[in-house]
Amino acid sequence: MPVILNHLSNLIDAPRLVTQTPLLRASGLKKQYGRITAVDDVSLEVYSGEVLGIVGESGSGKSTVLRLLNLEENVEAGDYRLNISGLEAINLFTLARFQRREVQTHHIGIVYQNPHLGLRMRYTSSGNVAERLLITGERRFATLREAARVSLAASEFPLNRMDDPPRVLSGGMQQRVQLAKAIALEPKVLLLDEPTTGLDVSVQALVLDTLKRLQRERHLAIVIVSHDLGVIRTLADRVMVMRHGRVVETGLTDQVLEDPQDAYTQQLVHAKL
Amino acid sequence: MTTSLAALAAPREDYSYAFLDAYAKRELRRRTLKAIAIPGYQVPYASRELPIARGWGTGGLQVTLSLVGPESVIKVIDQGADDSVNAANLRRFITRMSGAATTTDALQATIIQSRHRIPEEVLQENQALVLQVPDPEPLRAVQSDSSKAHEMHADADYGQMWLVLYEQLVRYKQYIQGASYPSLVNGRYVISPSPIPRWDTPKLHQSPHLTLLSAGREKRLYAVPPYTDVRPLEFEDIPFQVEDQRGWICQHTGAQNKFMNEIPLADGTAAYELSDTGYMEKLSAEANGSTRGATYYDDEGNFYHAGYLKPPVQPD
């Protein structure tokens, strides 16, 4: 009998959560706007290939967490590390503006709820994507065209419209351009801030499909913020529930959404279902 | 022995030499030195009031007045012409205030103040070219916040300038910026080289003369020192081009492959004449023994730095 057990353990790998270290690790994040504490002692870890969902009501600080993870703002306190060669030992919040931008450009992609935040509406869609490569110093026009084409195709954007400006595109297509822009430099981390809010249900499903496929193919570490529990259920492996800038509950998606422990989470889940 | 009070007093002068007071000139000279020390960097300066309106060349005029001396020879150009009202006014003002001589010959001048053009003849080491600049900030089109633009200059974050070029290539298959073509100076700062046509932008590259660019209203000046690299922004696979004026022949002198003014005619066709009137004068007077210097572009249209301008390529 012990022989068979031993044999089994050779066949089945230990779970990745045990063998790997997380790609993204943030701890003790604290952010204040004047007297208001938007984020208070939030810690999170995300492994590559994993999707972490952050849910909570408006004003709970979930979007602020995402902005902090994108290094857009400074924190009052906190430690943020990416397990990427050359960066392991650095708290990213201590970096100077210039180095921050390097990390942001090369390793982090972000999709905003409002496409106006992430896109230049008057420039072409392909130009929006190509800009990421221009920032890194690519100076060959043919290479930029090709990269824009590849990225837009990966986010399932119709290529015959690649030179249309986002302002003439539908909401779903604008999100696809944002996504193409976010993955253009093949980052390890993808941050999604309510990526499908404001889209109708059928388009929402298509965009979610694309996200799922990308996550599978590219082994990205994804953090998705949403107040839509349906989106979280479809996409996320783990869920973190936030309220008043604090984490109230965290766990596997099914576990948290089916059997919520915290009173607020129970309210949230029932309000939705 | 009696002396009158009037004899003891210093002779009354209405204005300081070259109009600006000593402090203003010192300010300008210091800023100019800084600008030369950091090629392409926009140095802010205390811009003074002058008896012409902002936007009419006050930036260039202040720099000229801070450089001028009694032995200077001044040439003032407006859109290539020495005889336009603005050029004539500025020239008269400078000479009246400084006693400097004037000329229309680009090679005789020690200081050339210009709007929109660089002369056709290759300027020399003893010459300074002062360009009047309406808008010194090349990033204005992509970043309206000037403090952010300042940060972008500090980081050499010029990706967005290439994005503008990308957009032009996608929409029009060519770079369409006609004047003030953004250029990288000494591999570091992108400048807006005043609204000179693309034709003149390469003339700044490795030039023997000093170029000073000054914006009076925006209160900033910058410089291209002699023998400094100036590269127009371009993609590696699609080279920068100057205006295509092949086949345009000056109706007065028969010259070609120099920058031309296009004169529309009543029958719908166009005639052409040299934009640089000083050079046109020289060509006309050549029969009388006037000699002209080497030009930046030869009569076949080849630029004097071989290999600097690449042959055209059409994007797909």
Side-chain angles (χ1 to χ4, degrees), chain A residues 2 15-16 43 73 105 157 167 191-192 204 215 246 270:
Chain A
R16 274 191 288 127
S43 301
E73 294 178 31
T105 322
F157 181 87
R167 88 191 131 94
L191 308 174
L192 308 169
Q204 197 171 351
Q215 185 254 338
R246 292 178 164 275
H270 286 298

Side-chain angles (χ1 to χ4, degrees), chain A residues 11-30:
Chain A
L11 274 179
I12 303 165
D13 290 337
R16 274 191 288 127
L17 290 179
V18 176
T19 56
Q20 290 185 344
T21 50
L23 179 74
L24 182 158
R25 188 183 297 178
S27 56
L29 300 184
K30 184 174 182 183

